[in-house]
Amino acid sequence: MFSGKPMKPTFKSYLPPIQTNVKETIEPPIKKLEPKLLPGEIVVNEVNFVRKCISTESGQDDLWGKLICTNFKVSFIPQDAPPKQMSQLSHLLLGEHDIPLTCLEQVVTVNDTRGKKKVLGSNQKLKFNPTELILYCKDLRIIRFCFDEAGPESAKKVCLAIAHYSHPADLHLLFGFEYQGRRYHESKGIPLPYHISGRANGSTTRRGLQTPIFDRPSDWDREIKRTGASEWRVCSVNENYAISQSLPEYCIVPVSLADQDLKRHSVYFTDNRIPLWCWNHPNGSALVRMASIYDPAQQKKIEQKVFTAITKSHPHRSDVFRYELDKNLPNIQEIQSAFVKVRQICVIDPFEESEERWLSSIENSRWLEHVRAVLKQSAEIVYCLDGKNASVILQEEEDRDLNCVVSSLVQLMLDPHYRSLIGFQSLVQKEWVMAGHRFLDRCSHLKKNYKEESPLFMLFLDCVWQMMNQYPAAFEFTEAYLIVLSDSMWIPLFSTFLFNSPKQRAQHLMDFAKNKAIPHGEDQIVYFPPVWDWSQQFSNKNQTLFNNPMYVGKGATCVQNGEVKTFRRTKKTYSSTLRGTPASLRNGLKGGEDTQPRRGSLVSELRPDFSPVKDESPSERFFRDWFSQPVDQQGLLIPLLMPSHVVLWRLFFLRWVPEACIPKGGIATAYHKLSQLVDEIEILQNQLRQYKGPSPDTTPLPSPSGPPLEQRRMYFKASSPNDPPTPPDFLNSSFPFTPVGNLCRRTIYGTPISKFLNGARIWLSTETLANDTV
């Protein structure tokens, strides 16, 4: 047992008694800026004390934080993040300040003090310490970072990392392959070798995906039955890509063409691409696309075989008309050049004081001219199919660019099914993805090849928007959906826009499944899904931004002459049904006032009015008759083509430009009110359905709330009597996007950016003057 005097303490505290509790004297820890990472995402390089420039001259609204490069994105993490914009479309896989590496067009470094600049490419060296980094994005954003307080070596390393990872040399280096492998095993509950931050939104089964992929005979067979193409059949002659690597394994051909004939003749077509059926009109005429025949000696013989087979498939044995799109439309280089010019005018160049000069510059870019040309060509083909009851062959050298654009637009004009959301997605899947459009090359996902890059899909989306702008009640989806779809091209996490052909997709996904130990026979859309399951990117609330409140769908009601009518479409024709509101009341105009817009139609390019004349051609009569009647939103649509009707797609080209942003203005204000009205109507309809009074004497009160909030289709919900009558403060003409912080101008009022960005290729040039002040 221990005994004796207590030992003296060996440690003496010299702190005053009030400071004895050391924990109370320690300051709160500095906020640690960490990125949110997806499965398989790793940080490659980072730099602290970076300033993200916001569009103000003083810089007082600039954000300070950490700039990070991962193997997927460029991420900026603010030290003190401002309140999130209510109007901003939130992405589940990307943060507010994130940019996918595949979205970067050019990476430009600047040194103010030495007056130097450099456009960085993969594996390049940087001989100066950058003071600024400017990122030019394919979605038209321009984002500027300054390294005033950052370490020079760290700034240089992060700039080089961003340039290196933004244009990988090989397809398998794109982040989607790493991400989807991790996501698949996580969804299956298989433990991973190490911890992963973040989690994706679950996998998609084919059963849950409503959009057909057209990689199975059943998808094509359903399309035959839907269009009534009884003289056409599903052909498996290209199974395992035995004939052509750029065609789908299954396609539709005339019943009268035998498989052995297709095999024998395929060698004479470019890339062995046999003719592809696209669509059948109820009158029996067919739309077919075809590559060129490169052997002149065999051309006439093979063409005769193909034409005869298509003629036999028509119930009236009508003639077949051929349209050579290579000769009639601009080539891919001209389309690319026009897009670069209009992008330069909208995003880089300052807005001129004279609006007339700015608009003429837009017209001189020729982008709108190309949009008009494609729409006009499509309308002429519509006349052949619908007006002349004749089948049409679209011919292009490779059948992979302009044929995709025109065939899709023709079907969009003729078939209301493709103007629904699921129908439109199936159209893109069928005519672009499975038909072998070169998304990998045209989108330039890998190292730059300027000869192959061209915005064909963007041209198509612009044409779709022109029709939506003219016939807003005919489409189930909104322009916000079209822009989100175009933005998805730059997110390399989905299989839709990553490949040049179905064969390339199948081969890479097969190798991917083997490398990631995915069981043999697993469905490809489970382990590397397409973009069409939007729940992977957006919440249910944000997906309601895709729903058009004005859509007149099949069976939808409208008020006509004071009576409630229902739109119904016969099975035999798309253009003979009642076309909605009377011409005298259309667009809110009376009597002859409504004739002016119609003079912008295709026929008006031939004659200034619609009055019949003695020498009127059948095509002129067709278009005159169509434009003289009220429009059937669920029938044939023909676009107006005068320059005053084909206009700049404002939301796409100007959404990041603060000068073009109208607070509480633009089409968003009408969308807000219409959404509230539709939501209120749907609540009332739901209440009527819930009403089950057994007799007039007993009237139970319906539920005042209507359907559950998460099941309501509109983004903006019905207003209450207490709500203010004016639009919300966050609503502007860029809704649901926000231009704040996405443009590296020296001032929000448009200081000539040509001084700051000058002297290089059309839109991707940079110069910082030494005497400029930030």
Side-chain angles (χ1 to χ4, degrees):
M1 185 175 180
F2 177 79
S3 64
K5 295 182 180 180
M7 295 181 62
K8 292 182 179 181
T10 58
F11 173 76
K12 183 178 180 179
S13 174
Y14 293 93
L15 293 174
I18 194 171
Q19 295 182 353
T20 301
N21 188 356
V22 179
K23 291 182 179 180
E24 294 180 4
T25 66
I26 298 177
E27 295 182 359
I30 298 175
K31 177 184 176 184
K32 195 173 183 181
L33 305 181
E34 295 293 341
K36 294 181 180 179
L37 302 179
L38 296 176
E41 187 177 7
I42 58 173
V43 174
V44 175
N45 226 309
E46 59 185 40
V47 57
N48 285 298
F49 309 112
V50 176
R51 179 162 57 92
K52 181 179 180 181
C53 300
I54 309 299
S55 300
T56 56
E57 190 171 31
S58 63
Q60 62 182 3
D61 294 328
D62 290 354
L63 299 176
W64 289 86
K66 178 190 285 188
L67 182 63
I68 296 173
C69 174
T70 75
N71 55 341
F72 168 48
K73 63 179 181 278
V74 177
S75 184
F76 177 76
I77 308 173
Q79 178 68 50
D80 299 307
K84 189 173 178 62
Q85 297 284 334
M86 291 183 64
S87 64
Q88 191 170 12
L89 188 65
S90 298
H91 204 286
L92 297 178
L93 304 176
L94 291 166
E96 183 179 356
H97 301 280
D98 292 349
I99 313 160
L101 289 167
T102 44
C103 188
L104 295 181
E105 182 81 20
Q106 272 199 351
V107 179
V108 179
T109 52
V110 179
N111 185 295
D112 273 338
T113 56
R114 300 175 63 180
K116 290 190 175 182
K117 61 180 182 189
K118 184 175 179 65
V119 179
L120 286 179
S122 182
N123 296 322
Q124 285 190 339
K125 295 181 178 180
L126 188 57
K127 295 182 179 180
F128 59 84
N129 292 327
T131 58
E132 295 180 9
L133 170 67
I134 303 177
L135 302 179
Y136 296 89
C137 305
K138 295 175 183 177
D139 63 2
L140 307 193
R141 281 182 292 175
I142 306 174
I143 302 177
R144 175 172 165 241
F145 299 100
C146 291
F147 303 122
D148 312 71
E149 306 295 334
E153 282 301 317
S154 298
K156 179 190 289 188
K157 287 180 180 178
V158 81
C159 291
L160 290 171
I162 292 170
H164 176 73
Y165 281 88
S166 60
H167 287 98
D170 295 315
L171 182 58
H172 73 273
L173 296 176
L174 292 173
F175 175 67
F177 290 92
E178 182 65 28
Y179 165 72
Q180 293 296 357
R182 297 302 186 97
R183 183 202 60 81
Y184 172 82
H185 286 297
E186 278 196 340
S187 68
K188 296 296 182 182
I190 299 176
L192 293 171
Y194 52 87
H195 175 72
I196 295 171
S197 301
R199 186 173 178 86
N201 194 42
S203 61
T204 301
T205 61
R206 185 179 292 261
R207 184 180 302 174
L209 189 67
Q210 298 181 47
T211 303
I213 303 300
F214 293 101
D215 59 348
R216 297 180 175 182
S218 56
D219 291 341
W220 294 101
D221 191 55
R222 276 193 296 271
E223 196 67 5
I224 287 177
K225 293 175 181 176
R226 190 187 69 81
T227 59
S230 58
E231 294 300 315
W232 297 78
R233 65 181 178 90
V234 179
C235 173
S236 59
V237 71
N238 196 42
E239 202 165 30
N240 297 320
Y241 307 99
I243 290 180
S244 174
Q245 296 189 6
S246 62
L247 285 179
E249 288 189 274
Y250 308 99
C251 58
I252 297 176
V253 298
V255 170
S256 59
L257 269 182
D259 284 1
Q260 55 266 33
D261 292 334
L262 291 169
K263 287 180 181 178
R264 188 169 63 254
H265 297 321
S266 65
V267 295
Y268 299 108
F269 288 94
T270 303
D271 197 25
N272 295 359
R273 289 180 64 93
I274 59 176
L276 286 178
W277 173 92
C278 301
W279 182 78
N280 237 62
H281 195 286
N283 63 26
S285 55
L287 178 66
V288 180
R289 53 190 291 177
M290 186 174 78
S292 296
I293 300 171
Y294 60 82
D295 187 348
Q298 297 290 329
Q299 182 174 358
K300 188 173 182 180
K301 175 185 174 183
I302 296 173
E303 284 181 352
Q304 187 62 41
K305 283 265 188 183
V306 172
F307 278 53
T308 301
I310 295 174
T311 299
K312 287 181 179 179
S313 71
H314 197 289
H316 304 300
R317 302 295 190 264
S318 296
D319 292 334
V320 178
F321 289 82
R322 174 170 52 188
Y323 286 83
E324 297 180 87
L325 300 187
D326 286 328
K327 299 178 180 179
N328 300 342
L329 295 175
N331 59 41
I332 62 170
Q333 287 80 21
E334 290 171 328
I335 294 169
Q336 169 71 358
S337 174
F339 184 74
V340 168
K341 288 177 183 176
V342 75
R343 180 172 60 182
Q344 168 86 15
I345 296 163
C346 292
V347 182
I348 297 293
D349 292 343
F351 288 99
E352 303 292 343
E353 294 181 4
S354 170
E355 182 179 303
E356 182 181 355
R357 181 178 173 184
W358 191 84
L359 292 174
S360 63
S361 298
I362 293 289
E363 189 64 29
N364 291 337
S365 72
R366 303 192 69 186
W367 175 257
L368 294 179
E369 177 185 326
H370 296 336
V371 171
R372 281 194 296 270
V374 171
L375 286 170
K376 180 180 179 182
Q377 180 73 89
S378 302
E380 290 173 352
I381 294 165
V382 164
Y383 162 66
C384 269
L385 291 162
D386 190 83
K388 299 179 72 171
N389 296 342
S391 294
V392 171
I393 290 179
L394 305 179
Q395 190 162 24
E396 184 188 17
E397 183 178 357
E398 290 190 345
D399 180 34
R400 302 173 72 177
D401 289 312
L402 293 170
N403 271 6
C404 298
V405 180
V406 174
S407 66
S408 302
L409 289 174
V410 169
Q411 293 172 72
L412 200 71
M413 293 177 188
L414 283 165
D415 193 341
H417 168 69
Y418 294 126
R419 303 197 286 266
S420 68
L421 182 63
I422 298 300
F424 182 77
Q425 293 180 169
S426 70
L427 179 68
V428 173
Q429 184 70 27
K430 175 169 67 82
E431 297 298 328
W432 291 81
V433 180
M434 299 309 292
H437 179 64
R438 301 176 186 270
F439 279 110
L440 182 66
D441 292 341
R442 300 295 182 249
C443 297
S444 190
H445 288 320
L446 304 181
K447 278 188 176 181
K448 280 287 184 184
N449 185 347
Y450 295 110
K451 292 183 179 180
E452 296 293 334
E453 187 178 4
S454 187
L456 272 300
F457 191 65
M458 189 59 239
L459 177 67
F460 165 65
L461 293 182
D462 199 328
C463 291
V464 175
W465 177 81
Q466 300 292 340
M467 295 185 61
M468 290 173 63
N469 190 45
Q470 296 175 17
Y471 304 106
F475 295 82
E476 186 180 18
F477 45 88
T478 61
E479 63 174 328
Y481 165 80
L482 293 181
I483 293 178
V484 165
L485 182 60
S486 73
D487 289 347
S488 296
M489 286 193 291
W490 319 124
I491 303 176
L493 304 181
F494 314 104
S495 62
T496 307
F497 302 122
L498 279 190
F499 304 98
N500 278 336
S501 67
K503 164 74 173 182
Q504 187 185 49
R505 178 181 297 99
Q507 187 61 56
H508 275 81
L509 295 190
M510 190 184 304
D511 296 342
F512 161 76
K514 186 183 298 183
N515 294 335
K516 298 299 181 183
I518 295 173
H520 179 71
E522 180 70 278
D523 194 343
Q524 288 183 352
I525 74 166
V526 172
Y527 62 78
F528 211 123
V531 77
W532 309 125
D533 179 15
W534 294 106
S535 63
Q536 298 174 95
Q537 299 188 60
F538 301 102
S539 65
N540 290 336
K541 166 72 172 175
N542 279 328
Q543 287 181 66
T544 59
L545 287 166
F546 301 165
N547 298 330
N548 178 14
M550 292 184 285
Y551 176 56
V552 179
K554 186 177 180 181
T557 57
C558 72
V559 177
Q560 178 181 324
N561 295 337
E563 297 181 6
V564 176
K565 302 284 186 181
T566 300
F567 287 105
R568 297 201 180 275
R569 171 169 59 86
T570 65
K571 292 184 178 180
K572 292 300 180 183
T573 178
Y574 294 128
S575 57
S576 62
T577 56
L578 181 66
R579 295 188 173 181
T581 55
S584 59
L585 299 177
R586 190 161 163 247
N587 295 328
L589 303 177
K590 295 181 180 179
E593 293 176 342
D594 193 40
T595 60
Q596 184 62 29
R598 294 178 184 165
R599 294 187 180 185
S601 66
L602 188 64
V603 69
S604 70
E605 296 185 9
L606 307 175
R607 185 164 23 267
D609 57 43
F610 297 101
S611 56
V613 293
K614 186 165 58 176
D615 59 346
E616 186 177 45
S617 69
S619 63
E620 291 176 299
R621 190 182 313 114
F622 173 82
F623 290 114
R624 178 178 58 79
D625 289 345
W626 192 89
F627 280 101
S628 65
Q629 301 177 46
V631 175
D632 178 7
Q633 306 290 346
Q634 281 291 295
L636 170 65
L637 293 184
I638 299 175
L640 305 159
L641 295 177
M642 287 290 284
S644 58
H645 294 111
V646 178
V647 297
L648 183 74
W649 187 2
R650 179 194 173 96
L651 186 61
F652 177 81
F653 286 104
L654 302 178
R655 58 179 162 151
W656 308 124
V657 182
E659 295 87 339
C661 185
I662 307 170
K664 294 189 178 183
I667 194 66
T669 55
Y671 173 78
H672 168 249
K673 288 297 182 185
L674 285 166
S675 297
Q676 289 184 321
L677 180 60
V678 169
D679 187 57
E680 186 173 359
I681 291 171
E682 291 181 349
I683 290 174
L684 293 172
Q685 288 175 335
N686 186 72
Q687 290 174 348
L688 287 172
R689 284 191 294 269
Q690 291 179 357
Y691 175 75
K692 296 179 181 179
S695 67
D697 297 330
T698 57
T699 55
L701 292 174
S703 169
S705 60
L709 195 64
E710 65 274 6
Q711 295 180 11
R712 285 154 71 174
R713 294 188 312 111
M714 294 295 110
Y715 183 81
F716 293 107
K717 304 302 185 279
S719 59
S720 68
N722 298 326
D723 290 340
T726 57
D729 290 337
F730 64 77
L731 207 62
N732 57 54
S733 58
S734 292
F735 178 84
F737 310 95
T738 175
V740 177
N742 290 316
L743 193 66
C744 61
R745 294 177 186 248
R746 290 296 173 109
T747 167
I748 199 167
Y749 301 109
T751 294
I753 202 169
S754 54
K755 285 185 178 181
F756 183 64
L757 304 173
N758 181 33
R761 291 187 309 109
I762 298 173
W763 89 293
L764 304 171
S765 55
T766 310
E767 176 188 23
T768 302
L769 303 180
N771 59 355
D772 279 348
T773 58
V774 179

